[in-house]
Amino acid sequence: MNLGVGAAVVDGSVVAGDVAIEDGRIAAVALPAGSGRGLAVPGFFDLHTHGFAGVDFATAEVDEIDRVSEALTGTGVTRFQPTLPTLRPEAMSHAVARHSAATYPGAKFGGSHLEGPFLSSRYPGAHPKQLLLEPDLEVARYLVESGRVAQMTMAPELPGALDLISYLVSRGVKVSLGHSDADSVIARAAFARGATGLTHAFNASRPLRHRDPGITGAALVDPDVFVTAIVDHVHLSGEVAAIVARAAGDRLVAITDAMAAAGLGDGEFTLGDLEVNVVGPVATLSDGTIASSVLTMDAAFRNLVDIGLSVAEAAVATSLAPARMAGVDANSLRPGSPADLVVLDADFAVSATYIDGSKVFSR
């Protein structure tokens, strides 16, 4: 089957011509396109999303998670990590178990992402301070053994954090630094222990200063560290997003950090146990603190192009780089790779989404 597109992003480069799919995989690229229109890009992989379409991954039942798996394909997502804010350990454990029990009939399960509970009380963001914990091996083991945990965000300056990073890495959990007051010395020590990511650059962490770069500065200059960013024009200005993109290069990972309100418009919603007000693209707590987002991955792709990235660079940040950060085979669209892809129109809106070669969404 040919897609009928005019070009595709293959291994991070734009290749003119059509794409053929056979037996759920990419069979050929650069085929004669004829009158083909549209751009095929690797399916989007959201490493950090708290919910979508009215479903909160902190409380979602299995059938609700499956419903979101299908709904996310309309935004071009073919794989995602349901993300938990800081909750009581028992609540986090039960949520992870439900994540792992779902069937994911649409976008694939990338494992759970635990954003907490080992975060700094100085930079909690929307996380309840009273639920934050100091690193605890037994609590971490309890959470990791609850189901398929793929990633944990933690503050490396907390007592015992470096040893906990080593433990998590030994269990196959990717560690990202965030919600942290760490300086660059501690950040580098955490990277040496195996941490490989920075959670939402510039947000809810020690600010980057010219003599005190913190975790953000340390991550931006480390060639082995992935830098995630919420490119919604709310969490970062266009200029700062462009700085992050230029510094990180192919280590830039676009995330949504979305909450259940994403896709539902304005109103009052919940994020874990917190009440959140959404007006336009901005979600805030009652005190004005930015809480999560209502960003979608297709909008993130468009915003990346808007700040100056090429189409190929935007595709890397929304698919290939997240896959590399997660340690899974990158969906490159090279022949032989799984046919998990998105067809975008001239305005970079999602026309169709394919998973394992089957069309799961069409507009």
Side-chain angles (χ1 to χ4, degrees), residues 234 265-269 276-284 294:
V234 175
D266 295 355
E268 299 288 335
F269 303 93
V276 180
N277 181 54
V278 176
V279 178
V282 184
T284 56
V294 290

Side-chain angles (χ1 to χ4, degrees), residues 46-125:
D46 193 355
L47 295 178
H48 190 149
T49 172
H50 294 279
F52 183 73
V55 175
D56 187 331
F57 293 132
T59 56
E61 298 297 334
V62 168
D63 62 328
E64 293 177 308
I65 297 169
D66 286 342
R67 177 160 59 84
V68 173
S69 168
E70 294 179 310
L72 282 173
T73 62
T75 67
V77 172
T78 58
R79 189 183 297 269
F80 68 106
Q81 290 183 172
T83 303
L84 297 177
T86 296
L87 307 168
R88 290 177 176 82
E90 296 79 8
M92 296 185 81
S93 173
H94 294 159
V96 168
R98 293 193 298 272
H99 296 174
S100 297
T103 62
Y104 299 89
K108 299 174 181 178
F109 180 41
S112 298
H113 174 184
L114 309 186
E115 190 183 11
F118 311 122
L119 308 177
S120 168
S121 60
R122 185 167 184 181
Y123 292 102

Side-chain angles (χ1 to χ4, degrees), residues 41-49 52 57 68-82 104-110 254-256 258 295-300 318-319 331 340-344 350 352-355 360-361:
V41 300
F44 303 142
F45 186 176
D46 193 355
L47 295 178
H48 190 149
T49 172
F52 183 73
F57 293 132
V68 173
S69 168
E70 294 179 310
L72 282 173
T73 62
T75 67
V77 172
T78 58
R79 189 183 297 269
F80 68 106
Q81 290 183 172
Y104 299 89
K108 299 174 181 178
F109 180 41
I255 57 172
T256 64
L295 183 66
T296 56
M297 285 298 286
D298 57 329
T318 51
S319 181
N331 178 23
D340 297 342
L341 59 93
V342 182
V343 177
L344 303 176
V350 177
T353 303
Y354 294 78
I355 295 179
V360 294
F361 172 81

Side-chain angles (χ1 to χ4, degrees), residues 35-223:
S35 59
R37 296 182 179 179
L39 173 72
V41 300
F44 303 142
F45 186 176
D46 193 355
L47 295 178
H48 190 149
T49 172
H50 294 279
F52 183 73
V55 175
D56 187 331
F57 293 132
T59 56
E61 298 297 334
V62 168
D63 62 328
E64 293 177 308
I65 297 169
D66 286 342
R67 177 160 59 84
V68 173
S69 168
E70 294 179 310
L72 282 173
T73 62
T75 67
V77 172
T78 58
R79 189 183 297 269
F80 68 106
Q81 290 183 172
T83 303
L84 297 177
T86 296
L87 307 168
R88 290 177 176 82
E90 296 79 8
M92 296 185 81
S93 173
H94 294 159
V96 168
R98 293 193 298 272
H99 296 174
S100 297
T103 62
Y104 299 89
K108 299 174 181 178
F109 180 41
S112 298
H113 174 184
L114 309 186
E115 190 183 11
F118 311 122
L119 308 177
S120 168
S121 60
R122 185 167 184 181
Y123 292 102
H127 295 254
K129 284 186 178 181
Q130 70 274 17
L131 298 182
L132 299 178
L133 301 176
E134 290 192 348
D136 185 306
L137 180 60
E138 291 308 312
V139 171
R141 181 180 290 114
Y142 170 61
L143 295 175
V144 168
E145 293 178 352
S146 300
R148 183 181 165 196
V149 175
Q151 181 179 340
M152 180 179 285
T153 292
M154 59 184 296
E157 73 277 13
L158 299 178
L162 297 181
D163 287 340
L164 185 56
I165 290 172
S166 297
Y167 166 75
L168 291 168
V169 171
S170 75
R171 294 295 300 266
V173 178
K174 301 295 182 181
V175 176
S176 189
L177 309 186
H179 292 274
S180 167
D181 192 31
D183 60 21
S184 60
V185 174
I186 295 174
R188 289 195 298 272
F191 296 143
R193 289 292 190 105
T196 54
L198 172 70
T199 293
H200 43 53
F202 285 98
N203 288 119
S205 283
R206 188 181 189 126
L208 186 156
R209 300 185 179 94
H210 62 296
R211 295 191 186 94
D212 181 14
I215 63 173
T216 299
L220 286 172
V221 300
D222 191 318

